[in-house]
Amino acid sequence: MTTSLHHRAIENLGTRIVSGNLPAGHVMLAEQLEVELKVSRSVIREAVRVLQSLGLVETTKRVGIRVLPPSRWNPFDPQVIRWRLASDARGAQLRSLAELRAAVEPAAAELAAQNAPAPLRLELVDVAYAMRDAGHNGEVPRFLELDIQFHSLLLSGSGNEMFANLMGQVAETLTGRTVHGLMPDHPHEAALQWHVDVAEAISRGDSAAAREASDRIMRRTMSQMSDTWTEQPRVFIPVRR
Amino acid sequence: MTTSLHHRAIENLGTRIVSGNLPAGHVMLAEQLEVELKVSRSVIREAVRVLQSLGLVETTKRVGIRVLPPSRWNPFDPQVIRWRLASDARGAQLRSLAELRAAVEPAAAELAAQNAPAPLRLELVDVAYAMRDAGHNGEVPRFLELDIQFHSLLLSGSGNEMFANLMGQVAETLTGRTVHGLMPDHPHEAALQWHVDVAEAISRGDSAAAREASDRIMRRTMSQMSDTWTEQPRVFIPVRR
DNA sequence: GAGTTTTGATGTCTGCACACATCGGTGTCA
DNA sequence: TGACACCGATGTGTGCAGACATCAAAACTC
C-alpha cells in the first residue's frame, strides 16, 4: 500500500531485467504480465512506458514487449544504477561510478574554485577540518557522513548541474565502500590533509591547486580499489553510426 | 502518425516544462490536459508517468500534476538534454556538456590505452590520420563526421559504459559547435596532431601519454569556447541531506 | 486549536474498437 | 513444377470511455 502498483511493477520488471533474470531478446505479453503480477492493464502499460523510456524494453505490435540488451540501457538513470548495484554486476557498476567520479571531481574542484558561492566555500572548509578530526578519532560513521557531505558540496559548488547530480551516486559508492569493509578505521593521514587542501584552495579561489589536491585524492582511492576490480569483466558498447 | 500519441504528449509537456513555459510549481489537472491535447486519459497518464520518472513532475492526490524545479530534473537523460538544447538554456547546456566531456575524455583515453580491444585501436589510428587529412584540405563536413567518430571510438574504447553513453551528447556538442560557426575552416594544426598523438598512444598502450594528449585537446577546446559562455548564468543545485 | 468530516483529484480496473506488423495461403509467371 | 509477389487472416499493442476505490488537502465542528 505504501507504494503505488505501477511503481512496484516497475521495480519488479526493472530488477529482473537488470539482473539478467529476463535476458535480452526475451519477449513478454502485456496480458501475461497482468496475470503474473496480478495487476490491471493500465498498471502494466504505465510501467512498460517508463521502462521503455529507460531503454530497458521496446514494444512492437504483433510481437510484444521485448527486453533490450544492456548497451541500450540508460546507464545514468538512478533507477538503473540502483538495480545494477543490487545485481551481480554490482562490482562493475561501482567501478564505473568510481571512474566517473575520479574524472569529474578534479574538474568540479577547479570549477568550484572559480564559481562557488562564498557560504559554500566556508562550509567546505569546516567540513574538511571536521573530517580530519573524525578520521583521527576513528569515528567511522561520522566520518562517512562528513565524507559524503564534503564531496556533495564540492560537486554542487561546481555550478555544473550534471556534476552536482552525481552526488547521490557518489554517496552510494562511499557507503558501499565502507559497508564492504574497504575502509580502514583510521583513514590515510595524507588523504585527510588533501581534503583540507582542496577546501582551502577552493576557499581562496586557487583552481589549479584545488584540481591537483582533488586529483591526488582520486588517484589514491582508485589505486586502493583497483585490486578488487581486476576480475570484473568490462563491457564495450559498440559505436552507433 | 509515425509517432505514438503518448510520445507526442511527452514531447509537448517536456519541451514546455524545460523551456520554462510551464514554470516550477505550476499545477495541471489530468482532465484539463485531456481536452488541451485532445487525447484520452490513458495517454495522459502514461506520458505523466514518464515525465515523473525524469523528475519533471510529481503527482499528488487532491492537488494534481505539479511541475518540479530544474534541480529535480535528471540532467543526464537524453530527452531532457535535447529539450534543454532546444530551449533558451541551450548555451548553459552546451557548457555543461563540454565541461563533462573535458573531464571525462582524458580519463577515457587513459582507460582505452589499458583496455581497448585491438581492432578499435587500429580504427582509432586510421580515423585520426583521416581527420588530419580532412582538416588540411578544409573538408568541413567530412571533418565533423570523423571528429564525432574519433571521440565516439575513444569513449567506447574505455570499457566504461557510462563514458560510452556520452557519445550521443558529444556528437550534439560537436555538431552544435560547427553549426554555430565556432569552427574555423581549417582546424588548428596542433590540435590535429594531438588527435593523432592520442590514437597512437592508445594504440601502443601508453595510458599516461594518451591522457596528456587528450587533456591538451580538451583544454584547447574549452578555452576556445569559454568566451561565448561567460554570460551564461550558472545554476547551483542545493545539497540534499 | 485539535479532531473529524467532506471533498476532489489521482489510482485502479474493465470492456471495447482500432491500427498495423507478421505470417501463411493464394495466385501468377517463368 | 517451382519461385516469387501479392493479399487477407490473425494477434498484439494503442487508444478510448466509464466506473469505482483511495487518500490527502481543506473545510468544518467542537
Side-chain angles (χ1 to χ4, degrees):
Chain A
M1 279 305 162
T2 166
T3 65
S4 55
L5 285 182
H6 85 270
H7 190 271
R8 268 188 280 175
I10 291 173
E11 286 292 321
N12 184 318
L13 294 173
T15 48
R16 282 204 282 168
I17 291 173
V18 171
S19 72
N21 195 339
L22 293 173
H26 182 84
V27 293
M28 303 167 290
L29 274 46
E31 193 183 358
Q32 152 203 344
L33 289 176
E34 289 179 40
V35 299
E36 185 180 332
L37 304 184
K38 290 197 270 289
V39 292
S40 70
R41 270 208 313 288
S42 53
V43 172
I44 294 295
R45 287 170 53 166
E46 289 164 25
V48 168
R49 280 284 127 76
V50 172
L51 296 175
Q52 196 178 25
S53 85
L54 300 182
L56 265 62
V57 302
E58 71 181 355
T59 62
T60 321
K61 283 184 180 180
R62 182 73 171 108
V63 173
I65 302 151
R66 191 195 334 252
V67 176
L68 292 174
S71 61
R72 300 283 299 277
W73 304 347
N74 180 356
F76 285 100
D77 187 274
Q79 296 188 101
V80 174
I81 293 174
R82 190 159 43 77
W83 293 328
R84 280 196 80 201
L85 285 174
S87 77
D88 292 342
R90 177 186 174 81
Q93 177 66 78
L94 280 174
R95 183 185 56 196
S96 293
L97 283 171
E99 285 172 355
L100 178 64
R101 189 159 93 91
V104 161
E105 276 214 24
E110 186 174 352
L111 288 171
Q114 294 163 5
N115 306 306
L120 194 149
R121 297 177 198 243
L122 297 179
E123 195 177 356
L124 203 51
V125 173
D126 287 347
V127 172
Y129 281 107
M131 260 183 88
R132 199 170 63 173
D133 293 346
H136 284 162
N137 301 338
E139 306 169 14
V140 176
R142 175 159 168 75
F143 180 81
L144 172 62
E145 187 190 337
L146 289 167
D147 199 13
I148 290 173
Q149 197 183 345
F150 178 87
H151 294 285
S152 296
L153 282 168
L154 176 60
L155 292 169
S156 169
S158 70
N160 180 317
E161 70 278 3
M162 304 184 94
F163 292 0
N165 189 257
L166 295 173
M167 287 186 300
Q169 279 74 326
V170 167
E172 280 284 353
T173 62
L174 293 179
T175 51
R177 204 171 52 174
T178 57
V179 165
H180 278 59
L182 291 174
M183 286 290 283
D185 279 2
H186 287 267
H188 194 261
E189 180 63 33
L192 292 175
Q193 183 56 44
W194 293 337
H195 280 75
V196 172
D197 293 345
V198 170
E200 296 275 9
I202 290 173
S203 171
R204 66 175 189 272
D206 186 344
S207 57
R211 166 183 275 275
E212 184 156 344
S214 172
D215 197 52
R216 263 197 287 273
I217 297 174
M218 289 301 117
R219 291 204 170 269
R220 187 184 145 72
T221 61
M222 286 300 286
S223 74
Q224 221 176 352
M225 307 185 76
S226 62
D227 312 337
T228 66
W229 287 336
T230 45
E231 66 266 28
Q232 298 292 342
R234 284 196 180 263
V235 179
F236 293 92
I237 310 291
V239 178
R240 276 198 278 277
R241 282 170 242 229
Chain B
M1 281 304 165
T2 169
T3 65
S4 54
L5 284 182
H6 87 270
H7 190 271
R8 268 188 281 177
I10 291 174
E11 285 293 321
N12 184 318
L13 294 172
T15 49
R16 283 204 282 168
I17 291 172
V18 170
S19 74
N21 195 341
L22 293 173
H26 180 83
V27 293
M28 303 166 291
L29 273 48
E31 194 184 358
Q32 152 202 344
L33 289 176
E34 288 181 41
V35 298
E36 186 181 331
L37 303 184
K38 291 196 269 291
V39 291
S40 73
R41 185 143 172 232
S42 55
V43 173
I44 294 294
R45 290 177 53 71
E46 288 165 25
V48 167
R49 279 283 124 76
V50 172
L51 295 174
Q52 196 177 23
S53 86
L54 301 181
L56 264 61
V57 302
E58 71 180 355
T59 60
T60 319
K61 283 188 174 180
R62 180 62 204 241
V63 173
I65 302 152
R66 195 196 327 262
V67 177
L68 292 175
S71 60
R72 300 283 298 277
W73 304 345
N74 181 357
F76 284 100
D77 188 273
Q79 296 188 101
V80 174
I81 291 174
R82 189 159 44 78
W83 292 329
R84 280 195 81 201
L85 286 173
S87 78
D88 292 343
R90 177 186 174 80
Q93 177 66 79
L94 280 174
R95 183 185 55 197
S96 293
L97 282 171
E99 285 171 355
L100 178 63
R101 189 161 93 91
V104 163
E105 277 214 21
E110 186 173 353
L111 288 172
Q114 294 164 5
N115 305 306
L120 195 149
R121 297 178 198 241
L122 298 179
E123 194 179 355
L124 203 52
V125 174
D126 287 346
V127 172
Y129 281 107
M131 260 183 87
R132 197 170 64 173
D133 294 346
H136 284 162
N137 301 337
E139 306 168 14
V140 176
R142 173 158 170 75
F143 180 82
L144 171 62
E145 187 190 334
L146 289 166
D147 200 11
I148 290 173
Q149 197 184 345
F150 178 86
H151 294 284
S152 296
L153 283 168
L154 177 59
L155 293 169
S156 168
S158 70
N160 180 317
E161 70 277 4
M162 304 184 94
F163 291 0
N165 190 256
L166 294 173
M167 288 186 299
Q169 280 74 326
V170 166
E172 280 285 353
T173 62
L174 292 178
T175 52
R177 202 171 54 174
T178 58
V179 167
H180 278 59
L182 291 174
M183 285 292 281
D185 279 1
H186 287 267
H188 195 263
E189 180 63 32
L192 292 175
Q193 183 56 45
W194 292 338
H195 279 76
V196 172
D197 292 345
V198 170
E200 296 275 9
I202 289 174
S203 171
R204 68 175 186 271
D206 187 343
S207 57
R211 166 183 275 275
E212 184 155 341
S214 171
D215 197 52
R216 264 198 286 271
I217 298 174
M218 289 299 117
R219 291 207 168 267
R220 186 183 146 73
T221 61
M222 287 300 284
S223 75
Q224 222 177 351
M225 308 185 75
S226 63
D227 313 337
T228 66
W229 287 337
T230 46
E231 67 266 28
Q232 298 293 343
R234 283 196 181 265
V235 178
F236 293 91
I237 309 290
V239 178
R240 277 199 277 278
R241 282 169 243 233

